[in-house]
Amino acid sequence: MDTFVELSSSTASLCVVGDGSVFAQTVANKLDQHGEFEVSWYTPETFLGLAELPQHPVLLLIDGEAELSSTVGALLRRSYPVALLVSNTASLLAKYAGQITDVLLWPAPAELLNARINILQRLQDTHAQLDAMRHSLAWHKARVEREHQLVEHIFQNALSRNYLDFKHVHTYLTPVSKFNGDLCLISPGPLGNIYMLMADFTGHGLAPATGALPLSQAFFAMADRGVSVAEMVTEFNFRMNRLLPNDMFCAAFLLELSANGERVTYWNGGMPPALLFDQQGIILKRLPPAHMALGVIDDDEFDSRVGTFRAPPNSSIALFTDGVTELLGHQQKFLGSDALEVLLSKYPRTADFSRLVEELEHFRGETPLHDDLSLAILTCLPTGLGEATPEPDQFGLPFSFDVLLKPEHLSTIDPVGHILSALSQLPYLRRHRTTIYLFLAEAFNNALEHGLLGLDSTLKHDPDGFAEYYQLRQERLLELTEGEIRIHVTFDTKLKQLSVQVSDSGTGVALLDDNHDLTQSYGRGLELLRQMTTDLHWDQTTRTVSFKYSF
């Protein structure tokens, strides 16, 4: 055999490149006599000229003393990583040993040559499997990246209206991964007011972030209409309850700041207590969670009642997720709520916000985040957003209507929401939607829970009593077969006044005690009723609470 020539074979399992020497012919004869392989033969020139390399191990047969030994480097660069160099010169093998899979000094037993080629074949199969896996992973990676790009594009469009650059808000938002399981939304209302939502979905990444899309859409749409905080969270819970799986929920803190920067209405469902503090850093008020997170309980059990207070001028409200208080520092210690309050006391002014963030970053050091980090501080000042111009016939026509609610109505509909929808048709009343909802809801719930259902608010003394209280509420409401609540509303355009009467046919005790202790965990809603309305009166004979609200 003077030269090696290429033999076409689609089933070949070994590619042999020989230099045409006597040495190469000797090894080839051994392969023919004792080999267990189907072989494709190549000259060095033919092998180097191939457009695509065969998907098989490569056996290089090179006489170290021949002139063609100078082409070994080129052959190695051209061959696959899985290759065996066989030569009769030890110095040639030593020179290229580190650049090739295996080397073999000839002469050698035929069994050894076969064994080395078998090992080479197994390595080739392993490389082929790894290449297939790499191609598969690369394809899936490209697909996931494309899907992430699409989702990111959708989120950017959905959150394009987010008013994070509102001049009285400072935020520090740092997600663990590309997508944030936390959500901080800000939107102006139609009356110069501003809404702010801080939400925290279970988990982090793409899965919880998908819940942010319907929540943000509902938030911006309802903010545009000037919807009350209570109505907002009711709609949010409706959507989350139908969207999220059983092992997922959304803790949320929603607040509304009036245009003059004084009145704050809020709802806290499962979030850490927000903090109200003054310019000296003194904590004036903590706003703890009083409700379950969104998406946990059904609509008929959901409690939308809100809290409200008047914020001192230039005071601030800090909203944050548990990723802040559970921030793990470089000393493997959590930040904690006490340390956060210390930092807020140290940097209470808006001009100090960047230093507050620096302190948090210094505390964390190089420790990776294990949860999304979201902190927002709202300063209670006039928003400067302006109010909608009242229409010429802003007060419309005087009206009076009665609503009689039977047990079947009380257990299936939201009476206050329906009444508010009707009242909101009048332009001027629409501007007071939140306040009207607050006092109507408080009067209605007082008549239902204490009048018809006979619930005792002292259960709320114990934190566990809240759950027992609302469990009893649901049970008794489902068992209610008789009784009624009547709501009478009158609007006087001359006096610019709304008069309300709420009566019940029950036997429970009304909570209109002038000596009620406001530090207790119940009865604060009625104190709010006293603050917002005039002529508040309880008639035990007719079991009627009445009051007036002037515009």
Side-chain angles (χ1 to χ4, degrees):
M1 182 183 294
D2 297 331
T3 59
F4 287 103
V5 295
E6 180 181 357
L7 301 177
S8 61
S9 175
S10 60
T11 60
S13 60
L14 181 65
C15 298
V16 179
V17 181
D19 60 3
S21 63
V22 174
F23 156 74
Q25 182 176 345
T26 301
V27 178
N29 290 334
K30 291 287 186 181
L31 283 175
D32 287 339
Q33 296 173 11
H34 304 283
E36 303 171 354
F37 319 100
E38 295 188 14
V39 178
S40 292
W41 303 93
Y42 298 90
T43 64
E45 294 79 5
T46 305
F47 186 79
L48 292 173
L50 291 176
E52 293 185 4
L53 294 179
Q55 300 295 321
H56 305 295
V58 177
L59 179 63
L60 300 176
L61 307 179
I62 304 297
D63 185 349
E65 299 177 357
E67 295 181 1
L68 285 176
S69 63
S70 61
T71 65
V72 172
L75 290 171
L76 291 180
R77 288 191 295 272
R78 185 71 174 99
S79 68
Y80 283 107
V82 179
L84 171 62
L85 173 61
V86 180
S87 179
N88 55 357
T89 306
S91 59
L92 180 68
L93 299 181
K95 179 178 179 181
Y96 294 107
Q99 305 175 38
I100 197 168
T101 308
D102 196 7
V103 295
L104 180 63
L105 180 64
W106 195 262
E111 294 78 7
L112 179 60
L113 178 61
N114 289 347
R116 302 287 274 272
I117 294 175
N118 281 325
I119 293 173
L120 211 65
Q121 184 66 59
R122 288 195 291 270
L123 286 174
Q124 178 64 40
D125 292 343
T126 302
H127 275 277
Q129 293 175 4
L130 290 174
D131 283 341
M133 292 177 63
R134 278 195 292 268
H135 282 95
S136 178
L137 289 174
W139 183 84
H140 284 288
K141 181 175 182 292
R143 180 177 179 179
V144 169
E145 287 180 349
R146 174 56 180 163
E147 290 177 350
H148 281 195
Q149 290 173 358
L150 291 174
V151 175
E152 187 175 15
H153 178 76
I154 293 172
F155 271 94
Q156 287 177 350
N157 287 342
L159 302 180
S160 61
R161 294 186 49 201
N162 202 7
Y163 200 15
L164 286 177
D165 57 351
F166 178 53
K167 59 183 178 181
H168 299 321
V169 173
H170 292 78
T171 59
Y172 174 47
L173 311 173
T174 306
V176 172
S177 58
K178 186 174 184 178
F179 294 98
N180 201 341
D182 292 352
L183 192 63
C184 181
L185 302 178
I186 302 172
S187 178
L191 310 174
N193 54 332
I194 193 138
Y195 296 93
M196 190 168 177
L197 172 67
M198 180 73 75
D200 183 3
F201 289 85
T202 48
H204 52 264
L206 181 58
T210 54
L213 185 59
L215 186 59
S216 61
Q217 289 178 322
F219 173 79
F220 292 121
M222 299 179 85
D224 287 342
R225 303 199 310 267
V227 173
S228 68
V229 169
E231 290 176 285
M232 276 189 170
V233 295
T234 300
E235 176 65 19
F236 294 165
N237 187 71
F238 175 83
R239 296 194 180 204
M240 296 297 100
N241 201 24
R242 283 154 181 77
L243 173 71
L244 302 180
N246 293 333
D247 60 345
M248 189 174 171
F249 58 84
C250 175
F253 191 107
L254 177 65
L255 69 79
E256 176 193 1
L257 179 67
S258 61
N260 60 11
E262 296 179 359
R263 190 186 74 247
V264 177
T265 305
Y266 71 93
W267 184 93
N268 188 348
M271 287 285 283
L275 302 172
L276 175 70
F277 58 96
D278 62 17
Q279 288 183 300
Q280 285 70 47
I282 299 173
I283 305 298
L284 304 176
K285 192 178 184 69
R286 294 175 178 82
L287 313 177
H291 308 282
M292 297 290 285
L294 300 172
V296 176
I297 57 179
D298 295 332
D299 301 336
D300 52 0
E301 300 178 66
F302 183 73
D303 185 5
S304 63
R305 283 180 289 185
V306 300
T308 188
F309 61 90
R310 288 194 175 276
N314 291 303
S315 59
S316 298
I317 304 173
L319 283 68
F320 49 91
T321 60
D322 56 8
V324 177
T325 53
E326 297 175 5
L327 179 65
L328 188 62
H330 62 278
Q331 296 181 342
Q332 299 302 303
K333 293 182 179 179
F334 292 109
L335 179 66
S337 55
D338 292 339
L340 178 60
E341 291 188 13
V342 170
L343 288 177
L344 291 173
S345 299
K346 186 177 179 181
Y347 304 108
R349 300 178 304 163
T350 55
D352 297 331
F353 185 77
S354 59
R355 300 180 63 185
L356 171 63
V357 172
E358 289 175 1
E359 287 276 7
L360 291 173
E361 292 286 357
H362 176 73
F363 174 82
R364 180 166 73 96
E366 299 298 324
T367 306
L369 286 176
H370 68 280
D371 195 5
D372 300 314
L373 193 66
S374 298
L375 169 67
I377 297 180
L378 169 66
T379 304
C380 299
L381 291 169
T383 63
L385 298 173
E387 295 191 22
T389 304
E391 299 177 17
D393 58 342
Q394 53 182 305
F395 294 109
L397 297 173
F399 65 84
S400 178
F401 67 80
D402 283 282
V403 178
L404 181 61
L405 302 169
K406 297 290 187 178
E408 60 268 24
H409 305 131
L410 298 172
S411 60
T412 58
I413 64 173
D414 174 19
V416 177
H418 282 70
I419 294 173
L420 192 64
S421 295
L423 295 179
S424 297
Q425 300 304 310
L426 294 176
Y428 197 80
L429 269 61
R430 186 186 305 126
R431 301 174 62 191
H432 297 262
R433 185 185 183 107
T434 296
T435 304
I436 295 173
Y437 184 92
L438 288 173
F439 62 64
L440 277 178
E442 194 57 47
F444 169 76
N445 287 321
N446 186 49
L448 175 63
E449 296 176 4
H450 306 298
L452 292 187
L453 304 182
L455 293 171
D456 184 0
S457 287
T458 57
L459 284 173
K460 298 179 183 178
H461 276 307
D462 186 351
D464 294 335
F466 271 94
E468 181 181 356
Y469 181 90
Y470 289 108
Q471 179 66 30
L472 283 174
R473 183 186 190 275
Q474 180 64 16
E475 292 175 357
R476 295 184 183 181
L477 185 59
L478 293 175
E479 296 170 356
L480 190 66
T481 58
E482 59 182 18
E484 61 185 37
I485 294 177
R486 185 182 297 273
I487 301 176
H488 176 76
V489 180
T490 301
F491 180 55
D492 190 322
T493 56
K494 292 182 179 180
L495 297 177
K496 302 178 183 177
Q497 189 176 77
L498 200 68
S499 300
V500 180
Q501 295 178 345
V502 180
S503 308
D504 69 80
S505 61
T507 58
V509 179
L511 297 178
L512 288 177
D513 182 6
D514 290 334
N515 297 319
H516 177 70
D517 182 5
L518 293 180
T519 63
Q520 294 180 348
S521 57
Y522 61 89
R524 297 175 184 173
L526 289 171
E527 178 60 28
L528 178 64
L529 201 58
R530 289 192 182 93
Q531 296 176 3
M532 292 189 302
T533 65
T534 59
D535 299 334
L536 179 63
H537 176 69
W538 167 254
D539 188 328
Q540 180 63 36
T541 303
T542 61
R543 297 194 56 80
T544 301
V545 60
S546 59
F547 51 85
K548 297 177 181 178
Y549 178 73
S550 299
F551 296 94

